[in-house]
Structure formats: C-alpha cells, structure tokens
Amino acid sequence: MAATAVATGTGAAAGTESAERPPGPAAALELWLNKATDPSVSEQDWSAIQNFCEQVNTDPNGPTHAPWLLAHKIQSPQEKEALYALTVLEMCMNHCGEKFHSEVAKFRFLNELIKVLSPKYLGSWATEKVKGRVIEILFSWTVWFPEDIKIRDAYQMLKKQGIIKQDPKLPVDKILPPPSPWPKSSIFDADEEKSKLLTRLLKSNHPEDLQEDVLKVVLVYVISAF
C-alpha cells in the first residue's frame, strides 16, 4: 500500500511535468501517424503525413521504428485507417531515404503486407479495397525499384500461390514514384525580388527581354543552386 501511494503521488507530479515537455521522438512518430491515419476524418491529413515523414528523417531510430508502426495500422480492421496507412507508407518509401527503404524491402516487413493478403492470416477479413491497394503498391514497387529483389520475389510468390491473380493496371501517372503532395520550395523562392523579376519578364511582350534578361536571371539561379 505504501509503495502504491508513493507511485501515485510521484506519478501525478511526473504527469504534470511530462505534459509541459514536447513528446520524445518515438512518441512524436506515433502522434503524427495517428493523425495521418485517423479514420474519423473524411480526407487524409497531408500535413500530418509530411510531419511524420520529417520525423522519420530526423529521428535516428525513425527509419527502423516507423515501418512497424505502419504495419500495425495497415493491419487495422478499420478499412479507412488501413488505406490511409498505405498512403503514408507510399509517401515514406519515396521521401524517407535509403534506410527506411531498405527496412521496407526486407522479408521481415514484406511478410506483414503478405499477411493482409493471405487467407491464412488477415486476408479472410481484410476488405477487397485494402487488399487491392496492397497488391497495387507491391506491384508498383517491382516497377519503380527493380533492384529490390526481395520485393520482386515476394510479389512473384503471391502470384504462384494464386493470391494475386494478375498484375494490376497502374494509372499512367503512377508509372514513376508519385511526387510529394505538399508543395516543395523552389530555388526561385529564395530571392523574392529576382522571382518577381522573372515573372515579369516571362509575361513581357518584348522578345528581346526573353532573349537576354530571362537568361541572365535563370543563370543566376542555376549557378546558385550548385
């Protein structure tokens, strides 16, 4: 009883103190992923996805910890949560660097996706929409990342077992990895005055402007970018 009383007393103080501190890296990952996969919202929170990707990139353990957080969400019985998590996975695969990429390309993680498709595991209750997205993502990775042999082998195994009947048809705009959904800063944003000058010159009706002045401005930016 005495130990319980002490724990309760210190716990209240610790709770107050922790509430004043920003969450640690691991907690921040979960926080942003929870927001990015919240099934109660009608549209996915792209800013939360961006923050999750940035947290993966800044946290030294992010690239190894994030895939397992995502796997748990992808295996959710709530269809929307699983679909949102698959979108986050796609974005991380394209924007979270080589270490994250290599973790996802291991059989250990790929098996978590296979479980969603396999009738022996989660495939018996996972919705067709979720299973379809998993298949589309796996196939798209075989197209985008042909050097990842384990992804190709996992996909081919699923085909041989009849779990995947045929290759999905990817939209034309998904033949290459999709661009980030949030706006990227342009080198032209670095200098507002030159950006305005370039815009003004591009709208000019005088051919000589485009022959000389625009070239000068563009060259300045090209040189400054290196």
Side-chain angles (χ1 to χ4, degrees), residues 105-117:
K106 293 176 181 177
F107 282 132
R108 187 179 172 207
F109 178 81
L110 294 171
N111 282 337
E112 298 303 312
L113 297 182
I114 291 171
K115 286 178 183 178
V116 177
L117 302 175

Side-chain angles (χ1 to χ4, degrees), residues 42-144:
S42 58
E43 293 185 1
Q44 195 155 20
D45 186 340
W46 289 106
S47 65
I49 297 178
Q50 180 180 11
N51 285 319
F52 180 75
C53 288
E54 289 176 350
Q55 188 65 40
V56 172
N57 290 330
T58 56
D59 177 3
N61 298 317
T64 54
H65 187 47
W68 306 104
L69 293 175
L70 283 164
H72 178 72
K73 294 288 188 179
I74 291 167
Q75 295 172 356
S76 169
Q78 297 189 63
E79 181 183 76
K80 189 179 286 187
E81 185 174 37
L83 291 172
Y84 283 172
L86 286 165
T87 298
V88 178
L89 173 62
E90 280 191 295
M91 296 309 303
C92 288
M93 195 66 162
N94 292 327
H95 298 284
C96 289
E98 185 177 347
K99 193 172 181 181
F100 179 91
H101 184 119
S102 65
E103 286 294 321
V104 170
K106 293 176 181 177
F107 282 132
R108 187 179 172 207
F109 178 81
L110 294 171
N111 282 337
E112 298 303 312
L113 297 182
I114 291 171
K115 286 178 183 178
V116 177
L117 302 175
S118 174
K120 294 181 180 179
Y121 293 94
L122 310 178
S124 59
W125 55 261
T127 68
E128 291 303 314
K129 196 168 183 179
V130 170
K131 289 189 282 189
R133 283 287 289 124
V134 171
I135 292 171
E136 183 183 86
I137 287 172
L138 286 172
F139 177 64
S140 68
W141 288 349
T142 67
V143 175
W144 302 339

